Amino acid sequence: MNFLFLQCLISLYSWVKAAKKPSTNLWSDIKLKNVHHDDIGPLSYLLGPDKNDFLHGFLKDLVYIISVRMSPPRDLCKNRRFMVLQMASTSFEGIGSLLKQVQFTVAVAMHSDRTAIWGFGFPFMFEHSKDMWDGEDRDNVVINGESLNCTQEDPLAGAFGCFFEPLSTCTLADIEPQEMIDFSNNVYNETARAVMFEVRKGVALYHPPAGLFDYIAKQRGYTPEQRNQVKERESFLFAAAVTAYVFRVKPELVARFNDKFHALSPVPPSEILWGLHVRHG
């Protein structure tokens, strides 16, 4: 009886200790000390011009870690757990809403140590502009009379691949047949290798995964003052990093946009200018 009581006390102590200081073991395979911010540049060009402040570097570290989790080397996909983003093909939601769901999926996947992948079916809003397609060639879309290659490693990415970098290096094909059967029987089984993303968990976009920020701060040797500045902005920093990862516009599209802009603008801008119209209702 005394031995059982002692075991309970040890378990309770371990639980309280973990609750007070979230474990950073989940991120220990990512050695940021060996990663220079200049090497992360191509992943975060949407974050604006390079700045010599640690918050910009912190944001780059977040984008890098997200990319490591969402786009692992192909040979590691067979061991990754997946968060499946399944959308109804009859969905009439706007493009902004759909992209927001992609952001939510990546955020929840980060919290649960999963890799976000596309499910079957793609929303109507991504596929309805059939006049954009160049004949029957579904790998190319025509914009202003120019053909843009939409090919991705994941064919389920659909028209998303015309404009953005791949969401993941992994696909549904990395799930074993029996796992797919189990998934179809219960898509919300959190203990299974593949689980369906639930929109109601979108709040995860504004709450960093436990231990992640502490791990980055320790790896980079941040001062207490710098840690406090990160703490004050943690919701915005994590949401911004997820957004930057999802909105990695394809370089070909950026180049074409800039060519068109420079052709129309008499005064070339000193840096890239972007305009976004979000329609509600």
Side-chain angles (χ1 to χ4, degrees):
M1 183 69 177
N2 290 335
F3 178 73
L4 180 61
F5 179 72
L6 180 61
Q7 281 187 317
C8 291
L9 282 178
I10 293 174
S11 299
L12 180 61
Y13 171 78
S14 300
W15 182 84
V16 172
K17 185 178 180 181
K20 287 184 176 180
K21 186 177 182 181
S23 173
T24 57
N25 291 335
L26 183 62
W27 320 104
S28 60
D29 62 305
I30 302 175
K31 308 300 182 184
L32 284 178
K33 292 181 180 179
N34 302 326
V35 179
H36 298 287
H37 285 153
D38 290 342
D39 299 332
I40 309 176
L43 292 174
S44 46
Y45 65 89
L46 289 180
L47 302 182
D50 288 338
K51 302 173 183 178
N52 296 321
D53 62 271
F54 81 97
L55 282 177
H56 191 73
F58 187 87
L59 201 53
K60 281 192 171 186
D61 284 337
L62 283 175
V63 176
Y64 173 77
I65 291 175
I66 292 171
S67 70
V68 169
R69 285 291 182 261
M70 298 302 110
S71 298
R74 281 289 305 141
D75 61 325
L76 296 183
C77 288
K78 62 180 181 296
N79 298 321
R80 288 294 296 163
R81 300 192 308 155
F82 298 120
M83 178 72 61
V84 181
L85 174 56
Q86 177 69 50
M87 296 179 176
S89 59
T90 55
S91 172
F92 278 81
E93 292 185 74
I95 191 72
S97 174
L98 296 173
L99 289 173
K100 193 72 172 181
Q101 291 183 48
V102 179
Q103 291 174 263
F104 287 160
T105 304
V106 171
V108 175
M110 286 293 293
H111 276 267
S112 55
D113 190 24
R114 293 179 181 271
T115 294
I117 60 175
W118 294 109
F120 289 113
F122 219 68
F124 174 80
M125 286 302 295
F126 269 124
E127 302 285 5
H128 79 291
S129 299
K130 299 303 180 183
D131 58 332
M132 294 176 63
W133 296 102
D134 183 13
E136 296 300 321
D137 185 359
R138 297 300 173 124
D139 288 336
N140 290 278
V141 64
V142 176
I143 300 178
N144 292 330
E146 299 182 33
S147 179
L148 182 67
N149 192 325
C150 302
T151 304
Q152 289 195 338
E153 291 183 6
D154 184 359
L156 298 179
F160 182 90
C162 295
F163 311 104
F164 302 101
E165 295 285 8
L167 179 64
S168 174
T169 51
C170 306
T171 73
L172 278 178
D174 293 304
I175 303 178
E176 297 295 329
Q178 184 57 51
E179 292 173 330
M180 281 297 296
I181 294 175
D182 296 338
F183 175 69
S184 64
N185 290 330
N186 182 3
V187 297
Y188 298 119
N189 180 8
E190 296 284 352
T191 63
R193 185 172 172 228
V195 64
M196 184 81 77
F197 163 70
E198 297 179 75
V199 178
R200 65 182 176 82
K201 294 184 178 180
V203 69
L205 179 62
Y206 304 100
H207 294 274
L212 175 57
F213 279 28
D214 287 336
Y215 184 73
I216 295 176
K218 184 177 180 180
Q219 287 277 301
R220 293 301 190 189
Y222 289 157
T223 65
E225 181 182 358
Q226 289 173 327
R227 286 174 178 257
N228 287 334
Q229 291 187 49
V230 169
K231 181 68 176 177
E232 293 171 356
R233 302 166 174 83
E234 61 180 17
S235 296
F236 302 106
L237 287 169
F238 184 63
V242 172
T243 302
Y245 177 78
V246 173
F247 283 70
R248 291 169 299 140
V249 182
K250 296 185 78 169
E252 305 97 299
L253 185 60
V254 175
R256 291 176 185 232
F257 174 84
N258 288 334
D259 288 343
K260 294 291 184 183
F261 185 87
H262 290 307
L264 297 173
S265 174
V267 181
S270 58
E271 59 186 66
I272 296 177
L273 298 178
W274 294 88
L276 175 65
H277 170 70
V278 179
R279 177 181 176 273
H280 293 275

